[in-house]
Amino acid sequence: MKKKSIFTALIAMALQSGSLLNAQQLNPTGICYVEVNNNNILNAGAYKLQTSNSYLFNVVNIFAANINYDTSRGRAYLYSNNNVTKVLTNADTYIKPLQQKGMKVVLTILGNHQGAGICNFPTREAAKDFALQLANTVNTYGLDGIDFDDEYSEYGKNGTGQPNDSSFVMLVQELRALLPDKIISFYYYGDAASRLSWNGARVGDNVNYSWNAMYGTFSAPNVPPLTKAQISPAAVWMGNTSNSTTTSLATQTKNGGYGVFMWYDLHGTNESSQLSAGTQTLYGQPTVLSGSLQSWTAGVNCDAPIGLYTSNLTGTSAKLNWSAAATNSYDIDYKPASSTTWTNAASAVNATSVTVSGLTANTEYDWRIRTNCSVKSAYMFAPRFNSGSGTTTPSGSYSLSLDGSSESGAAGNLNLSGSALSFEGWIKPSSFKSTSPYISSVMGTEIGDSNSALLRLGDAGLANNKLQFVVSINNVQQKLASATALNANTWYHVAATYDGSTMKLYINGVLNASKAQTGNISSNGAFNVGYSYNTSRNFNGKIDEVRVWKKALTQTEISQNMCNVSLPASSLAAYWKFNEGSGSTVQDSSGNGASLTLTGVDASNWGTDLPCATGTSKLSRNTENQREIGSEQINNKNQIKLYPNPVSKSSSFTVSVPDNYNKGKLMIYDLNGRLIDTKSLNAGSNHYDLNGLSSGNYILQFESQNGSAKQTEKIMVK
């Protein structure tokens, strides 16, 4: 018979750093699960061994909190129902009394039919985010650890991914780093039982115990490198496993030299008879009821809000955002990630955001929120954020470099289904994939053939340096490839659009390929930049100014706004400028809160190799008299944009001219200060041929008609 739904609270009986358990530690260690939806957890402290007067249970598992899925943010989050909430928020009543008797109290984590589970975190950052939620919960409520049970997740639901080999390994690695001296245990069941190693790392390296998931049977979990001392092959379901079977399981445990014995579903009635059927064999003495049994009254429903994200980072302040949970008020706290002390940001507020100030620049912060009902909800913990540098930089002042293997960005869930869509951004490929399927993912969602929208380079049967736009239309993937192949180490503005009748690809603002197609887009799921499906398809190169639109951009809109977009902008779903210059988070400038969480990046990934001019350069153009052409400091809105840069000598470049430069002029100089050419400027997008210029660097001076505005840039011709 399959286990009921017990979340295995693996007891950390003996971490290498020292024993976690009380002085009355039994051998084998006694593990107890309490279904708090029906029973009072305090009853675990009512049973003792008759002769030694030792408490029977060493570890008590709160069964169970859940892994839920926030579809608006594409994020797995820790959820506590009304009864788990009652236990946690009343820790002095339900948790500390057991700990004072020498017991450890652990929280079990279980799937909840929403697609999220311990086996389908798509990236390390996603696994770390959930591990942070668990660690903050343990520390906030004074718990002794976390127990994992891989049941009821319904992987793939709500656009989530299927199980993968790396997820559970990454999760326990991150959790162990955050909770070095706490219990981490594993109920041996589900997909997790067959996904215990990845890239040489093992789940067993970071958990303390595991046990059998099939009640009434004797079967030792295989979780290397755990030893017999850390394993319970026996599984007893109170009231369902017979006393004779309980005795048999105890005998096999004792004779086999195993160090753990697990009891599931302790009730509020006297269980001493069945407990004695096991303890007489295990410890040579019966179990007695030594205290009063406690009844249980269900907790009041009060959920914490979801949809948590951070915006408006200035270095010293940040805006904390959430979705309303009915008409309740909220309490919000924050702290530096390195601190254990929370600071209150606001209490009993009825808004859906609050701004905190006095932050330290370039510092990681955590924040949490709870709902005020007639009771308090459990805390919900937001994704960790970096306060930022506190400096204001022009558009495109940084770009991000990705290595093509372990580095990428995750934006959470984006629902792009509908009749129109556009992707655009700047890319500078460093190399193209040389092995099948020859794909380098730029951006998008790919849950399956019937749920996808992505822009990438290459495909099976397509050159690895050609663009490909892939969209699920009428639940079938439709593909459009570019006519032009891209070169390595060259900046390109790439864009893909669909308007309900035609798929189009643009390179540097020029239409490159199109395909007639009708129908609606089906794309709703995890959106990534530089990654799709698996890391073998990661993009290798630099990326900047990435935007997602729920409309089809026109060629004019694309060509005139390649370097920047005025905000707010209608139908803009996400906009990542990559102006942070540091950290592992890229803010969403669209206002929709789709922050990009970066995996594997550090300071070396950020650089100033840019596709667009910043308008703040000062370059020498005359070596004889050291005459300088100085640029004026200009507001971004009135700044000339130049692209691509570098540019091929057989091609052309585009200058996006704001109104204040209309009817002005462009002068092109070589680096010796010699005037090469003069051209007129018109407001809008101006395309200029290079007229056979040789390879090298040139200086471009822009001047308005009345001479009041000037700007100087450098362009490289390759």
Side-chain angles (χ1 to χ4, degrees):
M1 181 179 75
K2 178 186 176 297
K3 80 179 188 67
K4 178 181 177 184
S5 74
I6 146 180
F7 182 55
T8 160
L10 251 96
I11 153 181
M13 166 168 118
L15 275 177
Q16 292 181 351
S17 59
S19 175
L20 291 176
L21 304 177
N22 64 81
Q24 297 178 333
Q25 174 69 49
L26 301 175
N27 186 17
T29 297
I31 308 296
C32 173
Y33 281 92
V34 179
E35 291 256 20
V36 297
N37 283 341
N38 306 308
N39 300 294
N40 194 319
I41 194 172
L42 292 175
N43 292 329
Y47 294 98
K48 286 186 174 182
L49 297 176
Q50 186 178 55
T51 305
S52 65
N53 203 38
S54 300
Y55 287 105
L56 173 58
F57 303 118
N58 300 115
V59 178
V60 182
N61 294 319
I62 303 168
F63 190 81
N66 298 106
I67 306 180
N68 279 15
Y69 191 69
D70 181 354
T71 56
S72 69
R73 307 300 308 162
R75 181 190 190 221
Y77 68 92
L78 180 63
Y79 173 74
S80 298
N81 72 8
N82 56 315
N83 293 302
V84 175
T85 293
K86 180 177 178 179
V87 173
L88 295 181
T89 58
N90 294 278
D92 288 347
T93 301
Y94 298 108
I95 296 174
K96 287 185 179 179
L98 295 175
Q99 293 171 330
Q100 289 166 354
K101 293 179 178 180
M103 303 177 192
K104 299 294 182 180
V105 181
V106 172
L107 181 64
T108 294
I109 312 300
L110 184 71
N112 201 20
H113 311 281
Q114 296 189 11
I118 62 177
C119 281
N120 69 340
F121 290 107
T123 65
R124 181 170 291 277
E125 287 302 316
K128 182 176 182 179
D129 174 50
F130 192 71
L132 277 168
Q133 296 178 61
L134 296 177
N136 278 326
T137 299
V138 167
N139 293 328
T140 294
Y141 297 108
L143 296 166
D144 297 297
I146 293 294
D147 176 51
F148 291 112
D149 183 358
D150 188 22
E151 291 189 90
Y152 310 120
S153 294
E154 296 186 22
Y155 291 114
K157 193 172 182 178
N158 287 319
T160 59
Q162 293 298 318
N164 63 73
D165 290 338
S166 62
S167 177
F168 191 27
V169 173
M170 294 189 299
L171 177 61
V172 295
Q173 285 177 330
E174 296 296 337
L175 186 60
R176 176 55 72 206
L178 294 165
L179 299 176
D181 299 319
K182 298 290 186 177
I183 295 170
I184 304 177
S185 56
F186 167 48
Y187 191 90
Y188 193 74
Y189 189 81
D191 284 285
S194 61
R195 299 179 186 275
L196 299 176
S197 64
W198 173 69
N199 279 358
R202 298 173 296 185
V203 166
D205 294 325
N206 292 287
V207 303
N208 304 108
Y209 281 82
S210 182
W211 39 75
N212 179 18
M214 309 300 287
Y215 298 123
T217 69
F218 189 87
S219 177
N222 181 22
V223 187
L226 299 189
T227 65
K228 285 186 175 182
Q230 300 167 284
I231 294 292
S232 175
V236 174
W237 186 356
M238 303 296 297
N240 289 275
T241 303
S242 68
N243 284 7
S244 60
T245 299
T246 300
T247 299
S248 174
L249 294 175
T251 300
Q252 293 177 80
T253 297
K254 194 73 173 177
N255 293 342
Y258 290 96
V260 186
F261 197 88
M262 188 268 285
W263 309 84
Y264 172 67
D265 198 15
L266 187 73
H267 302 108
T269 55
N270 191 339
E271 307 270 23
S272 58
S273 175
Q274 183 169 10
L275 293 171
S276 294
T279 63
Q280 189 68 59
T281 298
L282 293 172
Y283 313 113
Q285 48 191 311
T287 298
V288 295
L289 184 65
S290 66
S292 299
L293 293 172
Q294 306 292 316
S295 61
W296 181 246
T297 301
V300 175
N301 287 312
C302 185
D303 289 341
I306 59 174
L308 280 56
Y309 70 97
T310 310
S311 61
N312 298 6
L313 300 171
T314 69
T316 58
S317 66
K319 185 179 181 182
L320 315 180
N321 309 269
W322 60 91
S323 300
T327 57
N328 300 299
S329 66
Y330 313 98
D331 303 329
I332 304 96
D333 305 320
Y334 69 98
K335 69 176 182 68
S338 59
S339 174
T340 58
T341 303
W342 294 91
T343 299
N344 181 249
S347 295
V349 295
N350 297 104
T352 55
S353 67
V354 64
T355 297
V356 294
S357 57
L359 306 180
T360 302
N362 293 316
T363 300
E364 299 285 314
Y365 282 88
D366 295 326
W367 64 277
R368 66 186 186 182
I369 184 170
R370 67 182 178 186
T371 304
N372 296 308
C373 307
S374 59
V375 297
K376 303 283 189 181
S377 76
Y379 280 107
M380 187 72 69
F381 295 92
R384 180 167 286 176
F385 70 92
N386 188 289
S387 56
S389 65
T391 58
T392 301
T393 54
S395 174
S397 57
Y398 292 98
S399 63
L400 184 72
S401 179
L402 301 173
D403 67 358
S405 58
S406 62
E407 298 168 354
S408 61
N413 189 82
L414 288 185
N415 186 351
L416 303 177
S417 298
S419 59
L421 173 69
S422 296
F423 293 148
E424 62 172 332
W426 286 93
I427 60 171
K428 184 180 182 180
S430 296
S431 65
F432 306 96
K433 297 296 184 181
S434 58
T435 57
S436 181
Y438 309 104
I439 289 173
S440 301
S441 301
V442 178
M443 70 178 89
T445 293
E446 187 172 20
I447 307 303
D449 287 355
S450 62
N451 184 358
S452 60
L454 56 150
L455 182 61
R456 64 193 187 189
L457 293 163
D459 195 1
L462 177 67
N464 60 6
N465 59 347
K466 286 191 173 184
L467 280 174
Q468 188 181 63
F469 182 30
V470 183
V471 190
S472 294
I473 299 175
N474 300 329
N475 297 315
V476 177
Q477 275 195 344
Q478 301 295 334
K479 300 180 179 180
L480 172 65
S482 67
T484 301
L486 306 188
N487 296 317
N489 302 312
T490 301
W491 278 110
Y492 295 93
H493 184 274
V494 295
T497 71
Y498 177 66
D499 62 3
S501 62
T502 309
M503 297 171 63
K504 297 179 180 179
L505 277 171
Y506 297 84
I507 300 177
N508 294 333
V510 178
L511 181 63
N512 191 266
S514 64
K515 171 185 175 181
Q517 182 65 50
T518 59
N520 285 331
I521 299 165
S522 298
S523 176
N524 184 4
F527 190 96
N528 298 284
V529 173
Y531 166 90
S532 176
Y533 192 69
N534 61 51
T535 55
S536 68
R537 303 180 180 207
N538 278 20
F539 175 74
N540 185 8
K542 296 180 174 65
I543 194 161
D544 200 11
E545 286 287 313
V546 173
R547 306 176 204 125
V548 181
W549 302 80
K550 295 192 74 172
K551 71 174 184 178
L553 296 172
T554 65
Q555 183 167 5
T556 299
E557 287 175 317
I558 293 171
S559 64
Q560 292 189 357
N561 299 288
M562 287 194 279
C563 289
N564 195 25
V565 169
S566 297
L567 299 173
S570 175
S571 301
L572 183 59
Y575 182 7
W576 302 290
K577 294 186 178 184
F578 297 94
N579 279 351
E580 285 75 7
S582 65
S584 59
T585 301
V586 181
Q587 296 304 312
D588 174 19
S589 296
S590 74
N592 295 319
S595 297
L596 196 65
T597 301
L598 304 178
T599 295
V601 307
D602 56 28
S604 65
N605 292 83
W606 297 93
T608 55
D609 177 5
L610 307 171
C612 300
T614 66
T616 55
S617 63
K618 183 173 282 189
L619 302 168
S620 170
R621 72 166 178 88
N622 192 314
T623 56
E624 268 187 280
N625 56 19
Q626 297 298 305
R627 233 176 107 198
E628 285 189 333
I629 301 177
S631 69
E632 301 292 331
Q633 186 77 7
I634 324 170
N635 183 289
N636 286 338
K637 181 179 178 182
N638 298 318
Q639 180 183 322
I640 287 177
K641 307 295 191 301
L642 169 68
Y643 44 84
N645 190 6
V647 60
S648 171
K649 63 183 179 180
S650 61
S651 183
S652 63
F653 65 91
T654 300
V655 178
S656 181
V657 178
D659 290 341
N660 62 315
Y661 278 93
N662 189 35
K663 305 302 182 184
K665 63 181 177 180
L666 160 64
M667 293 166 287
I668 304 176
Y669 298 87
D670 64 19
L671 290 185
N672 291 320
R674 185 173 64 239
L675 182 65
I676 303 298
D677 200 2
T678 300
K679 299 180 180 295
S680 61
L681 296 172
N682 294 300
S685 184
N686 296 257
H687 300 278
Y688 294 126
D689 292 328
L690 293 176
N691 295 325
L693 288 182
S694 58
S695 299
N697 293 315
Y698 295 85
I699 296 172
L700 309 184
Q701 184 179 30
F702 305 95
E703 185 174 313
S704 63
Q705 186 176 24
N706 61 10
S708 62
K710 295 180 181 179
Q711 184 177 334
T712 301
E713 304 298 340
K714 183 169 73 172
I715 189 170
M716 177 183 290
V717 178
K718 300 182 66 176

